[in-house]
Amino acid sequence: MKRIRNGGQTDRYHHGEMGVNSRLDEMQAAILAARLPFLPGWIEARRTRAALYRRLLDGAPVEVPPECDPGHVYHLFPSSRPSASSCARGCASRASRR
């Protein structure tokens, strides 16, 4: 395993097998391992926020990502709008109805 981690080197400049260059050192691995138990909660929080965004933006002049995969983690939640002026008008009209 040590040889594979070291680019497959057996001796300096001698490679007995294919190796990898993963750039993950022991410190990074320890930090990621400690954070791993929190990942399901973080993902659920992202899904909750995505549902909130969808609800709040329903009827607004913006397009949001469709909900087509219940396992999506929403690393990004991009939205697009036809034009800035129509978006501003739509948001203003929604705000005045509240």
Short mmCIF file of all heavy atoms in Angstrom, two decimals, residues 36-47 49:
data_model
loop_
_atom_site.label_atom_id
_atom_site.label_comp_id
_atom_site.label_asym_id
_atom_site.label_seq_id
_atom_site.Cartn_x
_atom_site.Cartn_y
_atom_site.Cartn_z
N LEU A 36 -17.31 13.22 8.73
CA LEU A 36 -18.20 12.32 8.01
C LEU A 36 -19.53 12.04 8.74
O LEU A 36 -20.58 12.03 8.10
CB LEU A 36 -17.47 11.01 7.69
CG LEU A 36 -18.13 10.10 6.67
CD1 LEU A 36 -18.34 10.83 5.35
CD2 LEU A 36 -17.28 8.86 6.47
N PRO A 37 -19.55 11.86 10.05
CA PRO A 37 -20.82 11.61 10.72
C PRO A 37 -21.82 12.77 10.60
O PRO A 37 -23.03 12.57 10.72
CB PRO A 37 -20.44 11.41 12.19
CG PRO A 37 -19.01 10.98 12.16
CD PRO A 37 -18.42 11.69 10.98
N PHE A 38 -21.34 13.98 10.34
CA PHE A 38 -22.22 15.14 10.21
C PHE A 38 -22.83 15.26 8.81
O PHE A 38 -23.78 16.02 8.61
CB PHE A 38 -21.46 16.43 10.52
CG PHE A 38 -20.94 16.48 11.92
CD1 PHE A 38 -19.61 16.20 12.19
CD2 PHE A 38 -21.78 16.81 12.97
CE1 PHE A 38 -19.13 16.25 13.49
CE2 PHE A 38 -21.31 16.87 14.27
CZ PHE A 38 -19.98 16.58 14.53
N LEU A 39 -22.29 14.54 7.84
CA LEU A 39 -22.71 14.68 6.45
C LEU A 39 -24.20 14.45 6.22
O LEU A 39 -24.84 15.26 5.54
CB LEU A 39 -21.87 13.77 5.55
CG LEU A 39 -22.03 13.95 4.05
CD1 LEU A 39 -21.69 15.38 3.63
CD2 LEU A 39 -21.15 12.96 3.30
N PRO A 40 -24.82 13.41 6.77
CA PRO A 40 -26.26 13.23 6.53
C PRO A 40 -27.09 14.43 6.99
O PRO A 40 -28.04 14.83 6.31
CB PRO A 40 -26.61 11.97 7.32
CG PRO A 40 -25.32 11.21 7.39
CD PRO A 40 -24.25 12.26 7.50
N GLY A 41 -26.76 15.02 8.11
CA GLY A 41 -27.47 16.20 8.60
C GLY A 41 -27.29 17.39 7.69
O GLY A 41 -28.24 18.15 7.43
N TRP A 42 -26.08 17.59 7.19
CA TRP A 42 -25.81 18.69 6.26
C TRP A 42 -26.60 18.51 4.97
O TRP A 42 -27.14 19.47 4.42
CB TRP A 42 -24.32 18.79 5.96
CG TRP A 42 -23.49 19.19 7.14
CD1 TRP A 42 -23.90 19.86 8.26
CD2 TRP A 42 -22.10 18.94 7.32
NE1 TRP A 42 -22.85 20.04 9.11
CE2 TRP A 42 -21.73 19.48 8.56
CE3 TRP A 42 -21.14 18.30 6.56
CZ2 TRP A 42 -20.44 19.42 9.06
CZ3 TRP A 42 -19.84 18.24 7.05
CH2 TRP A 42 -19.50 18.80 8.29
N ILE A 43 -26.64 17.28 4.48
CA ILE A 43 -27.38 17.01 3.24
C ILE A 43 -28.87 17.26 3.46
O ILE A 43 -29.53 17.87 2.62
CB ILE A 43 -27.11 15.57 2.75
CG1 ILE A 43 -25.67 15.44 2.26
CG2 ILE A 43 -28.10 15.17 1.65
CD1 ILE A 43 -25.24 14.03 1.94
N GLU A 44 -29.40 16.81 4.59
CA GLU A 44 -30.82 17.04 4.87
C GLU A 44 -31.13 18.54 4.97
O GLU A 44 -32.18 19.00 4.51
CB GLU A 44 -31.24 16.31 6.14
CG GLU A 44 -32.73 16.32 6.37
CD GLU A 44 -33.52 15.77 5.18
OE1 GLU A 44 -33.11 14.79 4.55
OE2 GLU A 44 -34.58 16.38 4.88
N ALA A 45 -30.22 19.31 5.56
CA ALA A 45 -30.41 20.76 5.65
C ALA A 45 -30.43 21.38 4.26
O ALA A 45 -31.24 22.29 3.99
CB ALA A 45 -29.32 21.38 6.51
N ARG A 46 -29.59 20.90 3.36
CA ARG A 46 -29.59 21.41 1.98
C ARG A 46 -30.90 21.10 1.29
O ARG A 46 -31.46 21.94 0.57
CB ARG A 46 -28.43 20.81 1.18
CG ARG A 46 -27.09 21.37 1.53
CD ARG A 46 -26.04 20.69 0.70
NE ARG A 46 -24.74 21.26 0.93
CZ ARG A 46 -23.64 20.82 0.37
NH1 ARG A 46 -23.69 19.79 -0.45
NH2 ARG A 46 -22.49 21.39 0.62
N ARG A 47 -31.39 19.88 1.50
CA ARG A 47 -32.66 19.49 0.87
C ARG A 47 -33.81 20.34 1.42
O ARG A 47 -34.71 20.73 0.68
CB ARG A 47 -32.93 18.01 1.12
CG ARG A 47 -32.02 17.12 0.32
CD ARG A 47 -32.29 15.66 0.58
NE ARG A 47 -31.38 14.85 -0.21
CZ ARG A 47 -30.91 13.69 0.18
NH1 ARG A 47 -31.26 13.16 1.33
NH2 ARG A 47 -30.07 13.03 -0.60
N ARG A 49 -33.57 23.41 2.61
CA ARG A 49 -33.44 24.76 2.02
C ARG A 49 -33.91 24.77 0.57
O ARG A 49 -34.57 25.72 0.14
CB ARG A 49 -32.00 25.24 2.10
CG ARG A 49 -31.73 25.96 3.41
CD ARG A 49 -30.33 26.50 3.45
NE ARG A 49 -29.68 25.64 4.41
CZ ARG A 49 -28.52 25.03 4.32
NH1 ARG A 49 -27.77 25.21 3.38
NH2 ARG A 49 -28.05 24.23 5.21
#
